[in-house]
Amino acid sequence: MNKADYKDVYVFVEQRDGQIQSVALELLGKARVLADSLGEKVVAFYPGYKNTESAKELIAWGADKVIVMDAPELKDYLTEQYSQAISQAIDKYKPSIVLLGATTIGRDLGPRLASIVETGLTADCTSLDISEERELMMTRPAFGGNLMATIMCTDHRPQMSTVRPGVMQKGVKDDSRKGEIENFAPTFDSSKFKVKLIKSVKENRGKIDITEAKVLVSGGRGVGNKEGFEKLNSLAKVIGAQVSSSRAMVDAGVMPHEVQVGQTGKTVRPFLYLACGISGAIQHLAGMEESDFIIAINKDKFAPIFGVADVGIVGDVHKIVPLLTEKLSKMVEKK
Amino acid sequence: MNIIVCVKQVPDTTVVKIDPVKNTLIREGVPSIMNPDDKGGLELALQLKEKCGANVTVITMGPPQADLVLREAFAMGADRAILLTDRAFAGADTLATSNALAGALKVLDYDLVITGRQAIDGDTAQVGPEMAQHLGLPQVSYVVDCQYNDANKFTVKKETEDGYEILEVEGPALFTVLASGYKARYMNVGLIVEAFNKEVEIWPASKLDIDPNKLGLKGSPTKVKKAFTKATKAAGQVYELDPEQAVDVIISKLQEKFII
């Protein structure tokens, strides 16, 4: 392997049912920053079926070039089909960096690719930078979020990492951006297709995506139960927020897993995160501390959540939240 | 059916603490446990053994004391245990670890390989799929249910972000399992005694079918450049007021930030 043969920052663009996933746009945003500091290009690997038409979207979001792999084998994600396609593309295009979303797809595909091309892969990165030696520095939480580690892959190419959804910021969409679209047809070895997708079921429990919310009202152990969360719901309604939860309330069966914030839940970065009755275990902080503005209400003045809050209120959420709801709804009425 | 389950001994990260002065991980007094997803995987293997008859082998890579998780596996009902231990494995990243495990599997017989989805100390979820590739096996990750059908076929349920998938897999295959899908059984009292009399096979690197250059630090493309505790941002202001005043503080801050 000659390092000099490898260049440009590549993004694996994930689509589901033909929809480009938000995490792919976040990766393009980050790839743009990395590529600009290297003086290189942003290239998208875009596998799917009948997806050539939508490739220009990716240029608007920051790609200089899109490699479209348009084949019936790539309609739905399947490990073997996708591994064959993307590994052949890596062999042909020789990327210096490959980024994938740390989703159930990216975390299944990434290690398979790393194994085929024999390179390193760093999982679930929360920050990516370029070193003075022009190497990728990949930073991720370890030990359940207790420690951060910066990892490098200096002797192998490509440098690969999966990135948690919701961590990187999308660029600004510009429909007038110009870029190149190229088709790449992988050669499939169907004798290795041993997995068949029988059905794919979406459990649309209200289809809440807390990672897209601008304002989150989040509840923890101090909120206690469903009645407690009703108070948060009322407040959320008044200020147009969504309600999220700490792990404790998910484990207790009060809230569903898809609204869980934290290391084993989702990473969020809303404009406002209002933490109600959340003590702030390190695993929870890992999922929300990048929020623009954090207000925390907690009975215990030594709660770690106050360490990351911009405004901390020592008090009882069961008293403060209803009062806040009342005052705010009066203000809203006046307008 | 021959089933191989890969397990890892991990520190219980829910009790890991940071030394506030030195900013390092305090490892003393932290209990070592069998990684929860791996334990779920072992449970799946034992259920398949009960339903269709199987020989369950557990394998781990680690220091000599990792022998303990293998004894626990015996006490749950595993038939055979192998500990890969050798200085040559030290400093392995996920790729080098997957090479060692795959190297061991190449000299064993199997119809199904099971790993946990991810270990709680690293959370990478990479070793299983990397191994599957080395062994040329189909893989399904995030498995929460697995049924064995006739003719070497499995029907598995894979958890996704917004629901699940049902997949049909032709074996031999590798599945990575979620603890939430398989609640592990307790150790059997009778088996616990037996577990300490059973033999844990110790395998050095020389016993594996793998190029030694692909093991340990030498075989690891990724290197940890630094580890640190997060820089805590400057804490904001904390108010101890009665509820009425507290609400006023919140509202004025929200206005200041143009949120309302």
Side-chain angles (χ1 to χ4, degrees), chain B residues 221-250:
Chain B
T222 61
K223 305 269 186 311
V224 176
K225 286 295 156 181
K226 61 174 178 185
F228 53 100
T229 50
K230 273 185 248 183
T232 38
K233 68 175 198 180
Q237 208 169 345
V238 177
Y239 301 86
E240 283 184 82
L241 303 164
D242 65 53
E244 193 81 34
Q245 289 169 307
V247 165
D248 290 338
V249 169
I250 296 174

Side-chain angles (χ1 to χ4, degrees), chain A residues 7-13 28 31-32 35 40-47 52 54-69 89 92-95 177-184:
Chain A
K7 68 170 194 313
D8 298 332
V9 183
Y10 282 62
V11 170
F12 164 74
V13 175
L28 286 174
R32 188 71 265 161
E40 294 183 357
K41 286 188 175 131
V42 174
V43 187
F45 280 147
Y46 183 31
T52 307
S54 51
K56 57 181 186 296
E57 284 280 298
L58 302 170
I59 291 171
W61 283 104
D64 297 307
K65 183 173 171 182
V66 183
I67 315 277
V68 180
M69 289 163 245
K92 176 171 180 196
Y93 295 98
K94 302 198 177 348
R177 273 195 91 232
K178 293 275 175 285
E180 197 184 331
I181 295 175
E182 184 175 319
N183 276 283
F184 173 70

Side-chain angles (χ1 to χ4, degrees), chain A residues 3-175:
Chain A
K3 262 166 81 168
D5 295 342
Y6 291 76
K7 68 170 194 313
D8 298 332
V9 183
Y10 282 62
V11 170
F12 164 74
V13 175
E14 181 177 323
Q15 55 83 20
R16 299 185 186 202
D17 300 324
Q19 294 288 315
I20 293 168
Q21 299 294 293
S22 186
V23 67
L25 308 180
E26 293 163 19
L27 294 180
L28 286 174
K30 186 67 198 184
R32 188 71 265 161
V33 176
L34 297 174
D36 287 345
S37 71
L38 287 165
E40 294 183 357
K41 286 188 175 131
V42 174
V43 187
F45 280 147
Y46 183 31
Y49 183 45
K50 297 185 175 161
N51 57 331
T52 307
E53 186 58 27
S54 51
K56 57 181 186 296
E57 284 280 298
L58 302 170
I59 291 171
W61 283 104
D64 297 307
K65 183 173 171 182
V66 183
I67 315 277
V68 180
M69 289 163 245
D70 184 342
E73 287 88 346
L74 301 172
K75 182 174 176 286
D76 298 304
Y77 175 76
L78 281 165
T79 311
E80 184 64 34
Q81 283 80 337
Y82 269 62
S83 309
Q84 289 187 13
I86 307 294
S87 63
Q88 288 168 25
I90 289 175
D91 275 350
K92 176 171 180 196
Y93 295 98
K94 302 198 177 348
S96 172
I97 294 172
V98 178
L99 308 178
L100 303 94
T103 62
T104 53
I105 291 177
R107 297 176 99 221
D108 187 83
L109 176 64
R112 198 90 193 186
L113 295 173
S115 201
I116 298 172
V117 302
E118 295 193 60
T119 191
L121 172 65
T122 305
D124 286 4
C125 293
T126 52
S127 108
L128 296 170
D129 295 288
I130 302 292
S131 73
E132 280 173 20
E133 297 80 26
R134 299 168 57 82
E135 298 286 332
L136 183 63
M137 300 195 289
M138 302 168 271
T139 302
R140 68 182 302 266
F143 287 96
N146 287 288
L147 202 66
M148 301 299 289
T150 299
I151 291 162
M152 295 172 84
C153 175
T154 50
D155 302 330
H156 292 73
R157 287 294 182 267
Q159 307 164 87
M160 290 180 55
S161 88
T162 62
V163 178
R164 296 198 75 166
V167 173
M168 302 302 172
Q169 279 171 327
K170 293 176 195 168
V172 179
K173 192 181 182 203
D174 175 3
D175 289 317

Side-chain angles (χ1 to χ4, degrees), chain A residues 16 77-80 83 102-105 107-109 111-112 114-116 118-124 138-156 162 192-204 207 215 239 258 263 271-272 274 282-283 285-286 289 291-295 297 301 306-314 319-320 323-324 327-328 331 335, chain B residues 11 13-14 16-18 23-25 27 93-95 98-99 117-118 120-127 129-134 136-142 153 155 157-171 214 218 220-251 253-255 257 259-260:
Chain A
R16 299 185 186 202
Y77 175 76
L78 281 165
T79 311
E80 184 64 34
S83 309
T103 62
T104 53
I105 291 177
R107 297 176 99 221
D108 187 83
L109 176 64
R112 198 90 193 186
S115 201
I116 298 172
E118 295 193 60
T119 191
L121 172 65
T122 305
D124 286 4
M138 302 168 271
T139 302
R140 68 182 302 266
F143 287 96
N146 287 288
L147 202 66
M148 301 299 289
T150 299
I151 291 162
M152 295 172 84
C153 175
T154 50
D155 302 330
H156 292 73
T162 62
K192 289 186 177 164
F193 297 170
K194 305 280 190 189
V195 180
K196 257 198 295 201
L197 179 63
I198 306 298
K199 65 173 175 179
S200 176
V201 177
K202 303 258 181 294
E203 288 175 320
N204 263 347
K207 199 159 170 59
V215 180
I239 56 174
E258 61 264 30
Q263 179 79 6
F271 291 142
L272 170 67
L274 181 60
I282 192 138
Q283 287 87 348
L285 303 184
E289 65 192 344
S291 305
D292 290 342
F293 196 66
I294 299 167
I295 301 180
I297 307 169
K301 67 173 171 184
F306 290 132
V308 300
D310 297 284
V311 176
I313 304 287
V314 181
K319 289 189 185 135
I320 294 171
L323 202 57
L324 181 62
K327 283 205 179 182
L328 285 171
M331 290 169 65
K335 282 181 189 169
Chain B
T13 55
T14 53
V16 169
K17 295 243 156 31
I18 303 285
N23 258 349
T24 52
L25 227 49
R27 297 219 196 195
D93 71 355
T94 63
L95 191 68
S98 69
N99 273 320
R117 166 197 44 174
Q118 64 190 40
I120 56 171
D121 55 348
D123 291 316
T124 72
Q126 289 176 183
V127 174
E130 285 176 341
M131 259 173 79
Q133 178 62 41
H134 298 314
L137 296 176
Q139 90 200 23
V140 180
S141 48
Y142 297 88
K153 288 210 167 132
T155 303
K157 181 176 175 184
K158 169 181 181 155
E159 198 174 86
T160 61
E161 281 83 358
D162 50 5
Y164 62 89
E165 289 173 355
I166 302 292
L167 302 145
E168 200 179 75
V169 186
E170 199 184 314
K214 293 188 173 181
K218 247 191 308 186
S220 299
T222 61
K223 305 269 186 311
V224 176
K225 286 295 156 181
K226 61 174 178 185
F228 53 100
T229 50
K230 273 185 248 183
T232 38
K233 68 175 198 180
Q237 208 169 345
V238 177
Y239 301 86
E240 283 184 82
L241 303 164
D242 65 53
E244 193 81 34
Q245 289 169 307
V247 165
D248 290 338
V249 169
I250 296 174
I251 291 176
K253 290 288 174 189
L254 293 180
Q255 285 170 329
K257 295 279 162 191
I259 291 163
I260 51 168

Side-chain angles (χ1 to χ4, degrees), chain B residues 2-238:
Chain B
N2 284 312
I3 306 176
I4 298 178
V5 185
C6 302
V7 300
K8 185 180 185 188
Q9 186 182 47
V10 293
D12 188 345
T13 55
T14 53
V15 297
V16 169
K17 295 243 156 31
I18 303 285
D19 183 322
V21 183
K22 286 185 271 178
N23 258 349
T24 52
L25 227 49
I26 305 173
R27 297 219 196 195
E28 292 91 54
V30 175
S32 286
I33 56 170
M34 190 190 300
N35 180 54
D37 282 340
D38 304 352
K39 211 167 170 175
L42 177 57
E43 177 61 35
L44 162 60
L46 296 171
Q47 287 184 16
L48 288 171
K49 176 181 170 178
E50 284 158 2
K51 267 187 241 168
C52 7
N55 209 298
V56 177
T57 300
V58 282
I59 184 163
T60 191
M61 182 178 103
Q65 53 276 29
D67 158 276
L68 257 186
V69 288
L70 298 176
R71 306 255 170 224
E72 187 181 349
F74 272 145
M76 284 171 69
D79 303 294
R80 183 181 178 191
I82 299 168
L83 170 61
L84 309 183
T85 192
D86 197 311
R87 281 211 182 138
F89 301 138
D93 71 355
T94 63
L95 191 68
T97 303
S98 69
N99 273 320
L101 289 167
L105 263 67
K106 278 182 186 164
V107 298
L108 293 164
D109 288 323
Y110 55 83
D111 305 287
L112 176 63
V113 182
I114 299 172
T115 71
R117 166 197 44 174
Q118 64 190 40
I120 56 171
D121 55 348
D123 291 316
T124 72
Q126 289 176 183
V127 174
E130 285 176 341
M131 259 173 79
Q133 178 62 41
H134 298 314
L135 297 167
L137 296 176
Q139 90 200 23
V140 180
S141 48
Y142 297 88
V143 168
V144 287
D145 187 63
C146 168
Q147 303 296 329
Y148 179 66
N149 312 331
D150 294 335
N152 212 22
K153 288 210 167 132
F154 298 88
T155 303
V156 297
K157 181 176 175 184
K158 169 181 181 155
E159 198 174 86
T160 61
E161 281 83 358
D162 50 5
Y164 62 89
E165 289 173 355
I166 302 292
L167 302 145
E168 200 179 75
V169 186
E170 199 184 314
L174 183 146
F175 301 142
T176 84
V177 173
L178 264 65
S180 61
Y182 284 93
K183 189 173 166 24
R185 65 193 60 195
Y186 291 107
M187 288 185 272
N188 176 302
V189 178
L191 292 177
I192 292 177
V193 181
E194 232 178 273
F196 282 88
N197 296 323
K198 277 193 171 172
E199 190 209 348
V200 166
E201 297 168 43
I202 310 285
W203 287 19
S206 58
K207 200 158 161 131
L208 314 183
D209 179 5
I210 185 75
D211 172 359
N213 288 316
K214 293 188 173 181
L215 298 173
L217 198 60
K218 247 191 308 186
S220 299
T222 61
K223 305 269 186 311
V224 176
K225 286 295 156 181
K226 61 174 178 185
F228 53 100
T229 50
K230 273 185 248 183
T232 38
K233 68 175 198 180
Q237 208 169 345
V238 177

